[in-house]
Amino acid sequence: MPNVKHQKWWGWGEENVFFTYENKPAFAPIVKRAVGIDLRPRERDTVDFGTAQVPASRITDAQLAALQGISGAENTLTDDHDRVIHWAGKSVTDIIKTLQNRFDRVPDVVVYPGSEDEVQALVDAAVELDLVLIPFGGGSSISRSLQARPEETRTVVSVDLGRLNQVLEIDETSGLARIQAGVLGPDMEEQLNARGWTLGHFPDSFNHSTLGGWAATRSSGMQSDKYGDIAEIIRGMNVVRPGGIVRLRPLPSTSTGPSLREMFIGSEGRLGIITEVWVQIHRQTEAREVIAYMFPTWQQGLTAMRHIHESEVHTTFARISDARETEFSLATQKAPTSLKKTVSAKGQDALWALMRKRGWDTDAMCIAYVCFEGTKQDVLRKKRRVSGIVHKQGALILGSGPGALYDQKKFDTPYLRDFLLEQGVIGDVSETAAPWAKLTTVHKNVYDAAQSAFDELGKTGWIMSHMSHSYHSGACLYFTFAFEYSDDVDHEYALVKTRIQQAFIDSGGTLSHHHGVGAEHSPWMEQDVSEGGVQLLRGLFQIADPGENFNPGKVIDSPDTLHKALRNGEAG
């Protein structure tokens, strides 16, 4: 068995890591109000794999022998457990289907190549034997980028790049590193940090996603305001294609035609398998501090975030939660367990009371977090500059205590989603980006769209949002929605999700800011990039992969399962 880390087969993250609410006194009441259910203690610590009903592998003896000849029998696996780990990503519907034994199309074999040469041999074999290859990194996709088409009859091979996990080279003069694509975020940072460097890319999925996955799905990280989205971080790459490798050198800029680098970033395996990536890296900073601010209203907070970006203070991140997300976030605070924490909690209650006396509507207030990095003097200077900006929008400075807590817990949210699933509640996310002038409209229209779906389903539902990434011309809005689901979960989820996605497009936003397209968002591609854009992509994929051997059905021309679920639900 290859020494490659995987998430648990039945949910997000690691075994024996859970969300619990018993020590959070405000959590159960807000869930009751939000989705209308009474919480019960967690009952599921794990799920026995013996309950999984896995379709048999369809691989032939000749195909298996050919693949074993490339990467070895010990790295070419057909056991049910490995195949289920690789059958899908970790969207909420992926997890529901896994727990309900509703496997659409499980890979027939999982191969763990140990070198770029082996990847080349696998790619060439896929064309020769007419196999379907699906690259696999950490398995954290929530846009159905990893599933084979349900109707696929050919042998499906999941190519797990987990053995390609090394930082190969650091150019310290240029601030560049050559890194294998299968390395998980924490393992990569550990190797870079040991030499005083960081990539600075920290998506929510950081602990369970890979550099190659970030490249293939056009990822953004929590600190992209400073370090850039993955498209800005990547300077060169190797992409294995039939008959040879496309090698893009790590150049600071170039004027040599349309950008091949940009073409491969976000291609989701349609154009080949990314094996190595040249990235720009940064020296680790002397000081880092996250400060929390409270704004009277969402609009004032959003204006402050725009002004921070326009001021060119160069924060590491600046994000703000709307009123609903602020309330929900505060409800996840633990009950005080020491005198110091008790005093702090009483101080917070007193502050809220004072704010109400001063005319604040504490149901409308919005919390923001701003991260500062650099020398100690840089951090102090930036904090003072931001303080002046936020004060003009009526903000209170809450300080570094709440900010440090946010920084510590930033990768834990998906465990809450799994907890809610056990309670019979879907909690999921969807994100977009739009110009500053349209953000307020996008926010309102998405709320209205989600509520219309909840009303149609006759459900008490919840939606909340935060602004997570800033750009010169706009920002990303990240929405979380939740509702109690029934046996008709496919239709219920599809109705809510499609209403939200359509609201993005209708309001002037993009269909996805950083989760990629996969099959989930493919139906909206023509509305997003135009009919001519889709035709151009279709022509590219047809020429680059005429046999449709490389992750077919992603980005465009995907099986439209969301709208199919809506039609099936209406028929029922």
Side-chain angles (χ1 to χ4, degrees):
M1 173 71 71
N3 183 24
V4 174
K5 302 173 188 175
H6 292 122
Q7 299 183 68
K8 56 187 174 232
W9 73 273
W10 56 273
W12 177 269
E14 302 174 25
E15 289 278 3
N16 302 315
V17 178
F18 308 106
F19 173 86
T20 184
Y21 75 94
E22 287 89 344
N23 59 349
K24 303 174 181 69
F27 188 76
I30 196 173
V31 170
K32 175 69 172 178
R33 182 163 59 84
V35 294
I37 70 161
D38 294 306
L39 292 179
R40 52 178 172 74
R42 191 190 76 250
E43 298 174 356
R44 182 167 62 205
D45 290 339
T46 189
V47 178
D48 181 7
F49 189 72
T51 63
Q53 301 169 15
V54 188
S57 173
R58 306 181 190 182
I59 193 168
T60 68
D61 291 342
Q63 291 169 339
L64 182 59
L67 298 178
Q68 289 175 337
I70 295 170
S71 293
E74 69 278 12
N75 298 311
T76 308
L77 307 180
T78 58
D79 67 279
D80 287 348
H81 187 269
D82 231 59
R83 292 171 54 230
V84 164
I85 285 174
H86 292 80
W87 95 270
K90 294 297 182 182
S91 74
V92 66
T93 51
D94 293 338
I95 294 172
I96 288 174
K97 285 187 173 184
T98 297
L99 291 170
Q100 294 179 347
N101 285 310
R102 293 195 290 135
F103 301 110
D104 292 330
R105 180 67 172 91
V106 179
D108 301 298
V109 61
V110 181
V111 182
Y112 296 82
S115 69
E116 194 171 70
D117 287 342
E118 290 184 14
V119 175
Q120 183 70 72
L122 288 170
V123 167
D124 291 340
V127 175
E128 180 183 352
L129 302 175
D130 197 19
L131 312 174
V132 172
L133 294 192
I134 301 178
F136 189 96
S140 62
S141 168
I142 61 171
S143 58
R144 290 195 291 122
S145 296
L146 300 173
Q147 285 97 321
R149 294 180 293 195
E151 70 275 12
E152 185 60 69
T153 58
R154 296 173 293 175
T155 295
V156 176
V157 183
S158 178
V159 182
D160 191 312
L161 299 170
R163 293 173 65 203
L164 306 180
N165 59 8
Q166 297 300 305
V167 175
L168 299 174
E169 180 181 352
I170 293 180
D171 176 348
E172 303 216 4
T173 302
S174 307
L176 294 168
R178 182 167 65 96
I179 305 175
Q180 291 181 305
V183 67
L184 290 165
D187 297 336
M188 178 195 64
E189 279 294 315
E190 181 180 3
Q191 294 176 62
L192 290 173
N193 294 170
R195 295 178 60 176
W197 295 89
T198 182
L199 187 70
H201 191 74
F202 297 97
D204 290 356
S205 61
F206 173 75
N207 288 330
H208 306 288
S209 55
T210 64
L211 175 59
W214 302 340
T217 57
R218 196 171 282 272
S219 168
S220 289
M222 297 178 184
Q223 300 184 168
S224 292
D225 287 2
K226 175 180 178 180
Y227 296 100
D229 298 333
I230 201 66
E232 299 169 274
I233 291 171
I234 292 174
R235 306 316 318 151
M237 61 173 64
N238 287 4
V239 183
V240 178
R241 291 193 27 80
I245 299 174
V246 177
R247 301 183 190 274
L248 303 179
R249 295 172 295 146
L251 300 170
S253 185
T254 178
S255 180
T256 50
S259 172
L260 291 171
R261 179 177 60 86
E262 280 287 310
M263 184 176 74
F264 287 119
I265 296 172
S267 59
E268 302 191 17
R270 293 295 307 264
L271 300 175
I273 296 181
I274 299 168
T275 52
E276 290 183 9
V277 184
W278 278 99
V279 292
Q280 59 190 30
I281 54 176
H282 302 263
R283 291 288 186 185
Q284 291 180 283
T285 57
E286 174 188 344
R288 173 187 171 88
E289 195 169 357
V290 180
I291 302 296
Y293 308 87
M294 190 68 78
F295 289 88
T297 66
W298 168 248
Q299 194 58 57
Q300 286 170 288
L302 204 61
T303 299
M305 296 300 104
R306 176 168 57 84
H307 288 170
I308 289 171
H309 188 83
E310 290 174 349
S311 71
E312 298 186 354
V313 177
H314 301 306
T315 58
T316 301
F317 63 75
R319 57 178 281 155
I320 182 167
S321 296
D322 68 8
R324 280 195 175 183
E325 187 169 285
T326 297
E327 181 184 13
F328 190 86
S329 177
L330 294 175
T332 63
Q333 292 181 341
K334 294 182 180 179
T337 56
S338 66
L339 178 59
K340 181 179 179 181
K341 291 181 179 179
T342 300
V343 171
S344 177
K346 289 182 178 179
Q348 176 178 294
D349 292 341
L351 177 61
W352 289 181
L354 177 62
M355 290 160 63
R356 284 190 287 270
K357 285 183 179 180
R358 292 184 175 182
W360 278 52
D361 177 0
T362 50
D363 290 334
M365 64 186 186
C366 299
I367 195 166
Y369 299 99
V370 180
C371 179
F372 306 91
E373 290 183 335
T375 66
K376 292 179 181 179
Q377 293 80 4
D378 287 337
V379 168
L380 181 60
R381 176 181 55 81
K382 292 175 182 178
K383 285 166 56 180
R384 287 173 176 169
R385 185 83 180 275
V386 167
S387 292
I389 294 171
V390 301
H391 276 144
K392 290 181 180 179
Q393 297 299 325
L396 290 176
I397 300 176
L398 303 183
S400 59
L405 183 62
Y406 161 79
D407 221 22
Q408 293 165 11
K409 301 294 184 182
K410 58 191 174 187
F411 300 133
D412 294 346
T413 304
Y415 290 105
L416 170 58
R417 183 191 63 174
D418 283 12
F419 168 80
L420 291 174
L421 268 184
E422 189 190 352
Q423 307 284 326
V425 173
I426 276 185
D428 203 14
V429 296
S430 204
E431 31 69 62
T432 187
W436 288 110
K438 296 183 178 181
L439 287 185
T440 300
T441 298
V442 171
H443 185 268
K444 178 185 182 301
N445 289 351
V446 172
Y447 262 61
D448 290 346
Q451 190 59 53
S452 73
F454 298 147
D455 291 345
E456 186 170 328
L457 294 171
K459 293 182 179 293
T460 301
W462 178 263
I463 187 166
M464 59 188 183
S465 179
H466 64 264
M467 190 219 80
S468 59
H469 302 73
S470 300
Y471 304 91
H472 177 75
S473 61
C476 167
L477 291 181
Y478 192 105
F479 294 86
T480 301
F481 58 93
F483 61 91
E484 186 178 16
Y485 67 91
S486 71
D487 291 341
D488 198 18
V489 59
D490 291 352
H491 175 261
E492 293 165 350
Y493 176 82
L495 182 65
V496 177
K497 182 67 185 286
T498 56
R499 290 279 171 88
I500 289 172
Q501 292 299 131
Q502 193 61 53
F504 290 165
I505 297 293
D506 292 344
S507 305
T510 182
L511 65 90
S512 177
H513 171 260
H514 58 262
H515 287 155
V517 182
E520 185 89 335
H521 301 138
S522 177
W524 288 271
M525 279 294 285
E526 186 171 305
Q527 295 181 61
D528 198 356
V529 303
S530 81
E531 180 182 356
V534 169
Q535 289 176 352
L536 195 60
L537 285 172
R538 186 175 293 123
L540 171 64
F541 294 150
Q542 287 174 348
I543 291 173
D545 179 26
E548 293 193 313
N549 299 110
F550 305 110
N551 208 13
K554 308 304 184 298
V555 184
I556 60 168
D557 300 328
S558 305
D560 188 359
T561 56
L562 283 174
H563 288 85
K564 180 180 179 181
L566 284 180
R567 293 191 295 271
N568 290 344
E570 291 165 357

